[in-house]
Amino acid sequence: MAGQNCGVTTALLGVLLLGAVRLPRGAEASEIALPHGSGITVFIKPGTPPLPVKPCYIISSKRYKTSLTIKPGEKEVFSFSCHNPENHFVVEIQKNIDCMSGPCPFGEVQLQPSTSALPTLNRTFIWDVKAHKSIGLELQFAIPRLRQIGPGESCPDGVTHSISGRIDATAVKIGTFCSNGTVSRIKMQEGVKMALHLPWFHNRNVSGFSIANRSSIKRLCIIESVFEGEGSATLMSANYPDGFPEDELMTWQFVIPAHLRASVSFLHFNVSNCEKKEERVEYYIPGSTTNPEVFRLEDKQPGNMAGNFNLSLQGCDQDAQNPGILRLQFQVLVQHPQNESNKIYLVDLSNEQAMSLTIEPRPIKLSRKFVPGCFVCLESRTCSTNLTLTSGSKHKISFLCDNLTRLWMNAEKTISCTDHRYCHRRSHSLQVPGDILQLPVQLHDFSWKLLVPKDRLSLALVPTQKLQQHTQEKACNTSFSYLVASAVPGQDFYFGFFCPGGSIEQIQVKQNISVTLRTFAPSFRQEATRQGLTVSFIPFFKEEGVFTVTPDTKNKVYLRSPNWDRGLPSLTSVSWNISVPSNQVACLTFLKERTGVVCQTGRAFMIIQEQRSKVEEIFSLEDEVLPKPSFHHHSFWVNISNCSPVSGKQLDLFFWVLLTPRTMESPRGWLGLPHSMVASAWATFLHTD
């Protein structure tokens, strides 16, 4: 007898003899007949046709209609007044299943009427299952399973699954899903509403899911996600992007192959204003001695997890006056463990102050193919795509990443002086800590922000190795360089890029600056011993910057004014202190005839001063041609002071200095010639780089 009942109930949801006959589309007649007690209602109603469009009608009983409803026990023969009804109408098939007043028909769900018996329209099959609160219902999805999509997304084949539950009389949206995903089962209680949308051109004739009976799950729903290999899944809280129901519990169960590892990342979330309890996520993680592990939504989430695990979202009792909104969108990434995932690195920043280190992904082009995640893990468990470590502590980190070149590091440190009496003449080393250099990730930037009290102190930078200024004519070819720029709020001003191997012994700056060490190649690790600056707090001076230069006896030294591509800022002054050894003579040569500056107010001028004799020459940078190449037997100054220039007519000075032995200073035949003729001849004589 029980077997007979099972057969009857399965038939109610299964293969009903509905008497629906498929006839040619368009003007040809279609016939749909629904048996008594089937619980099925068919609605044919207007869709959303593109405009403008010629009207189309349903022809039934010789009457023109814009909609048609067919109830259980009814039969309708109808046709359409146009040949493309799929552009005008949709068909909706609703099946009500009552599990409260009688036995619930479990098993595979059939499409009734079959798609072949329906007119060729966009079709939506809806199954509305009502059940007691104590009854659990489980939707089981056949392979290729389901993939949840977010607001504004669509399925490539147009086939979508919309699933809802209910809390008392309130409908709760569980989510919208496409095919080809990881979601294998969804468990709910108190009923379920499942809608399957099929485009008119799709020939699918199976629902792809079944319904099973389960005991009460004591929560809103449970979603099971099964991974069979590497991949990712994006999932959302109920009602997303609207608010998660108040004080509810929702669980995701993840089935992970034993040889793979899983990491969780929260993509978007909001928290509500709680009056009682606290919103949180709970993990049941294999091997954990503290299950459940509780996290706030703001926390870094677990990663590098082996085996199956559960994640639950728990709401709270919200403030009635200002409830806010709880919602969550997250991603689970499953991939092979990497060699680095088992190696722990100790980063000791306990002796550092006002410093942070961020490990993050490099900017890359997005790919549609699956790309294994690249995570940084703190204490081997809390993993995320980026991680910031702060000074004053020791940190243990590891990496879960197939290719560590996908990551880089950026660090910042602030060195400030608030009392000029305490800081005067004190110095600090600007050097990348060894604990950072030992990490298997390339350092991108390390920035030191150097702050001094205004009009009280200035700064002096002294490199471990003399620096070269990067110019087009003589570019830096090292694996790293320093960018020296103003750190004064609102001031867009930089002194230039500098690298080891040049002639600049010191850079003095008037006020706050940032010094950024930027690397360009992995070989920086081998050249790290060449990095190093010392900053000192010195008495205040009014010039924007002073460069101390001792030219190389073998090469030209190229020097360019700060901010050269945008021009020296208005009313600023910069100097170069150029040392000339006693057995050498320097040739100073300007690479352009004019600086290009046009003054709106004030004057722009240059002073060249011999330091021993104090003899100086003054040149107008707006009106005059820059001086011809000149000899300097002793150390000398080059100083430029800017006016307020016209926009687009900025001050840019570019020159080089070359040292040669004094024995070459006066070749035979040059004696007695005027200085300008000697300089011109000297330039010709030295016309090599």
Side-chain angles (χ1 to χ4, degrees):
M1 189 68 181
Q4 291 176 350
N5 288 337
C6 181
V8 171
T9 55
T10 302
L12 287 175
L13 192 60
V15 183
L16 291 177
L17 300 177
L18 296 173
V21 179
R22 171 75 190 279
L23 296 174
R25 56 184 285 238
E28 299 297 329
S30 297
E31 179 181 302
I32 295 179
L34 301 177
H36 287 283
S38 64
I40 297 174
T41 304
V42 176
F43 301 91
I44 301 175
K45 52 190 180 180
T48 53
L51 297 176
V53 67
K54 186 178 179 180
C56 184
Y57 299 96
I58 305 168
I59 304 173
S60 175
S61 302
K62 298 182 180 181
R63 298 177 62 184
Y64 283 70
K65 301 179 179 180
T66 57
S67 64
L68 182 64
T69 301
I70 307 170
K71 299 178 180 179
E74 295 180 350
K75 180 176 75 171
E76 285 283 351
V77 178
F78 59 93
S79 62
F80 299 96
S81 65
C82 59
H83 292 282
N84 57 345
E86 69 276 2
N87 292 337
H88 301 263
F89 296 96
V90 297
V91 58
E92 187 176 285
I93 305 95
Q94 292 189 5
K95 167 84 172 175
N96 294 318
I97 303 174
D98 186 1
C99 296
M100 300 181 70
S101 57
C104 197
F106 298 117
E108 183 179 354
V109 175
Q110 305 294 326
L111 296 185
Q112 300 171 319
S114 68
T115 54
S116 61
L118 294 170
T120 310
L121 306 175
N122 289 339
R123 306 175 293 279
T124 302
F125 290 86
I126 300 173
W127 296 269
D128 192 353
V129 184
K130 293 181 173 60
H132 289 287
K133 287 186 178 182
S134 60
I135 299 297
L137 297 174
E138 179 178 280
L139 303 182
Q140 300 174 344
F141 301 98
I143 293 174
R145 304 193 178 102
L146 299 185
R147 173 177 61 88
Q148 189 170 9
I149 58 173
E153 294 183 86
S154 59
C155 299
D157 59 0
V159 178
T160 59
H161 306 70
S162 298
I163 303 172
S164 300
R166 60 173 54 90
I167 302 173
D168 296 325
T170 304
V172 179
K173 179 183 175 183
I174 302 302
T176 302
F177 301 82
C178 303
S179 300
N180 297 315
T182 62
V183 175
S184 59
R185 292 190 291 180
I186 297 179
K187 304 173 188 177
M188 287 176 284
Q189 61 186 44
E190 202 175 342
V192 59
K193 191 172 185 178
M194 166 76 180
L196 172 64
H197 174 76
L198 301 174
W200 67 268
F201 52 82
H202 207 284
N203 59 3
R204 176 168 171 168
N205 57 11
V206 295
S207 69
F209 75 98
S210 60
I211 301 179
N213 183 23
R214 292 291 179 265
S215 58
S216 174
I217 60 174
K218 296 181 172 58
R219 63 199 66 205
L220 175 62
C221 73
I222 300 173
I223 297 179
E224 181 185 76
S225 184
V226 177
F227 288 84
E228 296 181 350
E230 287 190 314
S232 65
T234 299
L235 297 159
M236 285 145 267
S237 56
N239 282 340
Y240 190 90
D242 296 327
F244 187 68
E246 182 178 5
D247 195 25
E248 280 294 335
L249 176 64
M250 181 175 182
T251 297
W252 293 265
Q253 296 177 333
F254 297 97
V255 179
I256 311 295
H259 64 285
L260 299 179
R261 299 293 181 268
S263 298
V264 176
S265 300
F266 284 3
L267 305 179
H268 303 285
F269 68 86
N270 292 87
V271 295
S272 56
N273 298 314
C274 295
E275 196 170 68
K276 295 180 181 179
K277 303 181 184 178
E278 185 178 9
E279 293 169 343
R280 62 191 184 274
V281 286
E282 297 181 354
Y283 291 84
Y284 279 85
I285 301 172
S288 173
T289 58
T290 58
N291 279 326
E293 294 194 18
V294 179
F295 293 78
R296 298 179 305 162
L297 276 75
E298 299 88 344
D299 294 337
K300 298 291 185 183
Q301 302 302 310
N304 199 21
M305 293 179 285
N308 305 339
F309 70 97
N310 293 357
L311 184 161
S312 296
L313 174 65
Q314 174 66 65
C316 67
D317 291 329
Q318 297 172 348
D319 186 332
Q321 301 300 320
N322 183 24
I325 186 171
L326 170 62
R327 58 185 170 192
L328 171 63
Q329 182 186 48
F330 66 97
Q331 182 185 67
V332 175
L333 192 62
V334 175
Q335 60 193 41
H336 288 284
Q338 310 301 319
N339 292 334
E340 286 291 339
S341 65
N342 296 321
K343 188 171 182 179
I344 305 297
Y345 294 88
L346 177 64
V347 183
D348 186 357
L349 303 181
S350 57
N351 295 323
E352 299 287 347
Q353 294 181 345
M355 177 184 162
S356 66
L357 170 68
T358 299
I359 305 173
E360 58 191 351
R362 295 171 180 262
I364 58 170
K365 293 183 179 179
L366 296 177
S367 171
R368 292 189 176 184
K369 296 180 179 179
F370 170 72
V371 178
C374 208
F375 293 95
V376 191
C377 303
L378 191 62
E379 302 292 343
S380 298
R381 175 53 59 82
T382 304
C383 302
S384 61
T385 54
N386 57 71
L387 177 67
T388 297
L389 308 178
T390 55
S391 54
S393 300
K394 294 181 180 181
H395 308 273
K396 292 180 180 180
I397 67 172
S398 60
F399 298 91
L400 181 61
C401 188
D402 66 321
N403 182 2
L404 288 174
T405 62
R406 294 168 55 192
L407 299 173
W408 64 17
M409 298 184 288
N410 291 288
E412 294 182 356
K413 182 173 182 176
T414 299
I415 299 174
S416 59
C417 169
T418 55
D419 187 343
H420 69 281
R421 295 167 299 180
Y422 173 78
C423 305
H424 186 232
R425 298 297 179 187
R426 287 182 176 268
S427 61
H428 299 266
S429 175
L430 308 186
Q431 197 153 10
V432 180
D435 274 21
I436 294 178
L437 293 176
Q438 56 108 16
L439 295 174
V441 176
Q442 181 180 339
L443 176 67
H444 177 234
D445 279 354
F446 196 115
S447 295
W448 293 268
K449 185 176 284 188
L450 310 175
L451 308 178
V452 293
K454 187 177 180 181
D455 299 336
R456 291 287 189 172
L457 292 175
S458 293
L459 295 159
L461 296 172
V462 178
T464 303
Q465 296 185 12
K466 290 192 293 184
L467 300 175
Q468 168 197 329
Q469 186 174 8
H470 175 82
T471 64
Q472 291 182 344
E473 287 71 15
K474 191 169 181 62
C476 288
N477 60 2
T478 53
S479 62
F480 71 97
S481 66
Y482 294 101
L483 170 62
V484 181
S486 171
V488 176
Q491 188 178 61
D492 184 17
F493 177 73
Y494 70 93
F495 292 88
F497 281 95
F498 304 88
C499 58
S503 302
I504 300 173
E505 295 182 335
Q506 182 176 255
I507 303 173
Q508 295 172 284
V509 292
K510 175 182 176 181
Q511 50 192 343
N512 300 345
I513 60 168
S514 68
V515 178
T516 300
L517 183 151
R518 176 164 297 170
T519 70
F520 303 102
S523 57
F524 169 69
R525 296 181 187 281
Q526 286 71 49
E527 296 188 5
T529 54
R530 301 182 67 187
Q531 57 108 9
L533 294 171
T534 299
V535 60
S536 301
F537 298 100
I538 61 174
F540 176 75
F541 61 88
K542 293 185 177 181
E543 287 189 272
E544 206 64 48
V546 177
F547 297 84
T548 300
V549 183
T550 300
D552 186 1
T553 58
K554 297 180 181 179
N555 300 296
K556 294 177 183 177
V557 179
Y558 288 90
L559 299 166
R560 197 159 194 173
S561 55
N563 239 42
W564 61 267
D565 59 339
R566 297 188 292 272
L568 194 67
S570 300
L571 307 176
T572 56
S573 176
V574 178
S575 292
W576 290 265
N577 176 9
I578 300 175
S579 299
V580 181
S582 59
N583 62 341
Q584 302 284 320
V585 61
C587 180
L588 170 64
T589 303
F590 296 93
L591 272 74
K592 298 189 299 183
E593 286 190 346
R594 297 180 181 274
T595 64
V597 66
V598 175
C599 294
Q600 190 170 16
T601 58
R603 295 178 58 232
F605 56 89
M606 176 175 66
I607 299 174
I608 300 177
Q609 182 190 62
E610 294 284 348
Q611 294 184 18
R612 176 179 290 188
S613 65
K614 305 298 182 183
V615 174
E616 62 182 32
E617 295 178 275
I618 301 176
F619 304 90
S620 171
L621 297 179
E622 184 180 21
D623 304 321
E624 297 181 24
V625 173
L626 290 173
K628 298 291 184 182
S630 58
F631 295 121
H632 298 272
H633 300 77
H634 307 288
S635 300
F636 63 98
W637 290 94
V638 176
N639 168 269
I640 56 172
S641 297
N642 200 11
C643 58
S644 293
V646 174
S647 178
K649 302 293 183 181
Q650 308 293 332
L651 174 57
D652 170 29
L653 188 69
F654 192 14
F655 61 94
W656 55 258
V657 179
L658 179 65
L659 293 182
T660 55
R662 285 203 178 194
T663 54
M664 296 182 60
E665 176 188 351
S666 300
R668 188 177 299 277
W670 292 11
L671 297 174
L673 292 176
H675 177 81
S676 61
M677 293 181 65
V678 172
S680 179
W682 181 258
T684 303
F685 182 75
L686 298 174
H687 191 62
T688 57
D689 213 341

